[in-house]
Every structure is written in C-alpha cells, then in structure tokens.
C-alpha cells in the first residue's frame, strides 16, 4: 500500500535521492552540447560526445540490470551517482579527451537510473501497489525538471559558463548519495 510505504524512512530517503539525482539530467546533461561549444568544441564534435553519452547509457542499463539481480540496487545507485560526479568533473575541464571521458561517465551514471528506480522500489516495497508507490516516488522529480534548465540557463547568462551550475549539482549529488545510504531494506 502507498500509505504504508509513505510511513517508512526508506520511501522518503529514496524520493529525496531520486529527486536530487535528477538535477544531473536536467541541469547538466541537457546543457552538455552548449557547454562543450562554450569550451571551443565544434557543434559536430560536441554532438559526437553526446553519442558517447548515449552508448554508455545503454551499456549502463544492461550492466546495472544484471548487477541488481545480485547486489542491492541502493548500492548500485551510489556507484552510478559517483560516476555522474566524476563525469561532471571531467566535463568541466578544457581537455578534449577528458570531455569525451566525462560524457561517457555521465552516460554510464545516468543510464542506470532508469533500471535502478523500479528495481529498488520492488526491493523495498514488493510488487503489491508497485505502480502507485513508484509513481509517488517519481512525483517530486518534477521539481528538477522545471528548475534545472532554468537554473543552468540563468547561471550561464550571468557568468558565460555552466561551471557554477554543474558544481552545485555535484553538491546535490553528494546529498543524493547520503539519501541512498539511508535507504534501508527490511527483511521480508
């Protein structure tokens, strides 16, 4: 039952972690091509870097799906958020090779989220009322979807750089990791 799930700390820590992690997608990922271009990379090359992002996102879904059969998904969440943080640091560099690596790390970190959200929800609450529980967990994600692009655009307009916005997302990802650490799965 949704009402029972909402009475648990795990539900709220998971909702916080998922919501904060979403800022990586809505503040960083959608601005990667403009960020690369602002770093002097051609639009064609920047788009190619996003192809690397996509390839690693697909690989991440396959790998995280497989691993979540053996390792609790909340631990994999932590690992892929760390990949996102490393990726952000690389895309903040002025080195073309590091931009490629950063885009790939971001793809690997972001791609897994699609698989892990449903997996951890099932681990925590089972399949009974899964859809209503998962829907409620995802409702707060509207906040970064609305705020993230506007925030990064305002930062860029003011400073002609996405660095501040991307670094703030890193802080939010640290809080997301802490939230995922506090997601405890009860024995059934």
């Amino acid at each position: 039952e949704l009402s029972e799930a909402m009475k648990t700390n795990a539900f709220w820590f998971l909702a916080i972690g998922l919501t904060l992690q979403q800022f990586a997608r809505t503040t960083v990922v959608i601005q990667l091509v403009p960020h690369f271009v602002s770093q002097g990379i051609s639009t064609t090359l920047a788009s190619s870097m996003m192809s690397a992002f996509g390839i690693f996102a697909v690989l991440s879904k396959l790998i995280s799906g497989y691993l979540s059969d053996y390792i609790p998904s909340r631990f994999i969440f932590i690992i892929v958020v760390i990949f996102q943080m490393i990726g952000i640091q690389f895309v903040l560099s002025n080195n073309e090779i590091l931009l490629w690596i950063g885009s790939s790390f971001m793809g690997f970190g972001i791609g897994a989220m699609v698989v892990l959200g449903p997996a951890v929800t099932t681990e925590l609450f089972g399949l009974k009322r899964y859809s209503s529980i998962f829907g409620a967990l995802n409702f707060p994600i509207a906040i970064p979807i609305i705020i993230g692009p506007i925030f990064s655009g305002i930062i860029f307009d003011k400073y002609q750089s996405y660095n501040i916005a991307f670094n703030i997302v890193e802080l939010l990802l640290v809080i997301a990791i802490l939230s995922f650490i506090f997601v405890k799965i009860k024995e059934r």
Side-chain angles (χ1 to χ4, degrees):
E1 294 287 327
L2 176 58
S3 60
E4 291 300 312
M6 292 179 78
K7 291 177 185 174
T8 67
N9 288 336
F11 178 90
W12 294 106
F13 282 122
L14 183 59
I16 290 167
L18 289 172
T19 300
L20 293 177
Q21 180 284 323
Q22 189 68 20
F23 277 102
R25 177 175 282 130
T26 64
T27 305
V28 178
V29 174
I30 66 167
Q31 302 296 352
L32 280 179
V33 169
H35 169 69
F36 294 151
V37 170
S38 76
Q39 299 283 85
I41 302 295
S42 73
T43 305
T44 303
L45 186 56
S47 298
S48 296
M49 290 176 178
M50 288 307 296
S51 295
F53 174 96
I55 290 166
F56 280 90
V58 170
L59 290 173
S60 175
K61 289 173 185 168
L62 297 170
I63 292 168
S64 63
Y66 174 79
L67 289 176
S68 69
D69 287 338
Y70 302 98
I71 302 169
S73 296
R74 71 186 185 99
F75 297 132
I76 303 170
F77 261 139
I78 293 165
I79 293 166
V80 297
V81 171
I82 291 169
F83 268 86
Q84 293 171 35
M85 294 175 71
I86 293 168
I88 290 171
Q89 286 306 303
F90 283 145
V91 301
L92 289 173
S93 77
N94 289 322
N95 181 300
E96 186 178 317
I97 301 278
L98 293 180
L99 296 176
W100 277 99
I101 294 169
S103 186
S104 300
F105 269 65
M106 285 294 297
F108 194 84
I110 295 284
M113 301 307 289
V114 174
V115 173
L116 296 174
V120 78
T121 303
T122 304
E123 289 171 7
L124 287 169
F125 307 110
L127 291 174
K128 185 177 180 186
R129 305 283 186 238
Y130 163 80
S131 295
S132 60
I133 294 169
F134 190 64
L137 282 167
N138 280 280
F139 182 73
I141 289 175
I143 296 166
I145 289 171
I146 294 166
I147 294 173
I150 296 168
F151 169 72
S152 58
I154 290 170
I155 294 293
F156 185 81
D157 288 345
K158 183 164 176 75
Y159 299 103
Q160 297 304 301
S161 170
Y162 291 102
N163 292 10
I164 292 171
F166 290 7
N167 282 313
I168 290 171
V169 169
E170 292 247 320
L171 293 174
L172 296 175
L173 291 176
V174 168
I175 299 168
I177 287 172
L178 293 173
S179 295
F180 293 141
I181 288 170
F182 287 109
V183 172
K184 302 293 184 203
I185 299 169
K186 293 180 181 177
E187 295 295 322
R188 294 185 181 262

